[in-house]
Amino acid sequence: MSGALDGRIALVTGGSRGVGRAVALRLARAGAAVAVNYRRDADAAAEVVALIRESGGRAESYRAAIGDDDAVAEMVAAITRDLGPVDLVVSNAGSASRGATVEHTPQADFAALMRVHAFGPIGLIRALLPGMRAAAANSVGRGDIVMISSNSTTTTPAGAAPYTMAKAAMESCVRTLAREERPHRIHANIVAPGLVATEMGRRLVSAARGAELDDIAATSPFGRVCTPEDVAGTVAFLVSGDAGYLTGQRLTVDGGGPDTELF
Ligand SMILES: NC(=O)c1ccc[n+]([C@@H]2O[C@H](COP(=O)([O-])OP(=O)(O)OC[C@H]3O[C@@H](n4cnc5c(N)ncnc54)[C@H](OP(=O)(O)O)[C@@H]3O)[C@@H](O)[C@H]2O)c1
């Protein structure tokens, strides 16, 4: 566990399962100490931490629902105490909306998705910025904010407005952060996957097509569904020295897009 991210302190929200799990393992493999955030599934978070430690890395898990500002403040304080100030945050935690049309979506559902995908991450980033700026100004030399968004902010599928709208709001904020924070050596970028083979992806495919992920592999780009590791590799590039003059970008990880616009 040593490499390009030696000395970096990363926080991955929703790092216990799916995309976040792969990102946490990938960043640890490159040498970062990793704070693994989760909401409910403590065992899954503990497993990620154990895997990192078994490989010689540093990791701790932290329970906090993104969107609960008090819990997030406590988590940031605990990470700073345990590992040091975070200089790399991957805002990944999230859940999908319920598939209803705008007409049939209660106002509360829009508010809930905005809280998880936009207001919560904005609050988290605001809490992290002072420490991140200080780290970037000192030995670390840079800070990174990476948002895991979705290609649905451009494909805008029917039945997903609360999710798509909240992701789009956060994308705008990240692009603004990119301009505001570059004087502080902080990069802010967006990774926008299409369908990914996770629990969320499995549910989306089941709801949209009544199928399993394996059933749609052959008709997916490159004959397979995107893996969490595909997304993690893109994150690893964005936070590396190879992306040293890159900020405010949105990388779409969808194999060039589906042949149809189901996702
Ligand atoms: N899968 C796809 O097809 C796909 C496509 C495009 C974009 N994305 C995006 O990729 C990200 C990860 O999705 P995934 O597919 O990996 O989902 P997943 O398999 O359902 O995993 C979700 C993770 O987020 C955590 N989480 C959910 N809500 C949270 C909250 N409010 N606070 C803290 N943690 C929370 C979960 O923790 P607990 O288990 O503890 O609840 C879990 O670790 C999401 O932002 C999603 O919108 C996914």
Side-chain angles (χ1 to χ4, degrees):
M1 293 256 172
S2 69
L5 301 182
D6 279 348
R8 306 272 323 248
I9 298 168
L11 164 60
V12 183
T13 68
S16 55
R17 296 192 288 111
V19 169
R21 179 184 196 273
V23 170
L25 295 173
R26 185 73 169 76
L27 298 181
R29 209 169 77 217
V34 182
V36 178
N37 159 258
Y38 69 101
R39 176 186 51 170
R40 293 190 188 128
D41 192 342
D43 289 345
E47 187 188 308
V48 176
V49 168
L51 282 171
I52 292 172
R53 289 185 183 162
E54 277 163 25
S55 306
R58 246 178 115 201
E60 299 284 349
S61 64
Y62 299 90
R63 180 177 205 147
I66 303 304
D68 176 341
D69 291 339
D70 291 341
V72 165
E74 277 177 36
M75 173 177 73
V76 170
I79 298 170
T80 308
R81 185 190 63 225
D82 298 343
L83 300 174
V86 169
D87 56 66
L88 191 176
V89 60
V90 181
S91 178
N92 161 83
S95 44
S97 46
R98 296 169 202 237
T101 60
V102 172
E103 181 190 9
H104 293 111
T105 299
Q107 200 73 350
D109 284 15
F110 285 99
L113 270 286
M114 286 296 283
R115 191 160 58 244
V116 172
H117 288 287
F119 299 141
I122 290 166
L124 170 65
I125 289 165
R126 291 179 65 223
L128 293 174
L129 274 178
M132 195 176 275
R133 286 179 182 171
N138 296 319
S139 56
V140 178
R142 71 181 276 175
D144 285 279
I145 297 164
V146 181
M147 173 202 176
I148 307 298
S149 184
S150 166
N151 72 345
S152 68
T153 62
T154 47
T155 60
T156 55
Y163 176 82
T164 304
M165 180 181 131
K167 288 287 200 191
M170 189 59 198
E171 284 192 13
S172 295
C173 187
V174 171
R175 287 186 193 276
T176 304
L177 278 165
R179 291 187 203 283
E180 291 177 352
E181 293 304 317
R182 62 188 167 184
H184 302 287
R185 300 185 186 180
I186 295 172
H187 303 244
N189 290 295
I190 299 158
V191 176
L195 177 70
V196 189
T198 66
E199 180 55 27
M200 182 190 289
R202 190 191 65 71
R203 283 201 203 137
L204 289 169
V205 170
S206 172
R209 298 201 196 172
E212 296 299 319
L213 284 166
D214 285 348
D215 301 334
I216 64 165
T219 54
S220 298
F222 300 108
R224 65 182 181 85
V225 176
C226 177
T227 65
E229 290 72 23
D230 289 318
V231 182
T234 305
V235 172
F237 161 67
L238 283 172
V239 302
S240 75
D242 287 341
Y245 205 66
L246 198 152
T247 195
Q249 299 304 303
R250 179 180 187 270
L251 297 187
T252 308
V253 185
D254 68 351
D259 292 331
T260 61
E261 296 235 330
L262 264 180
F263 297 103

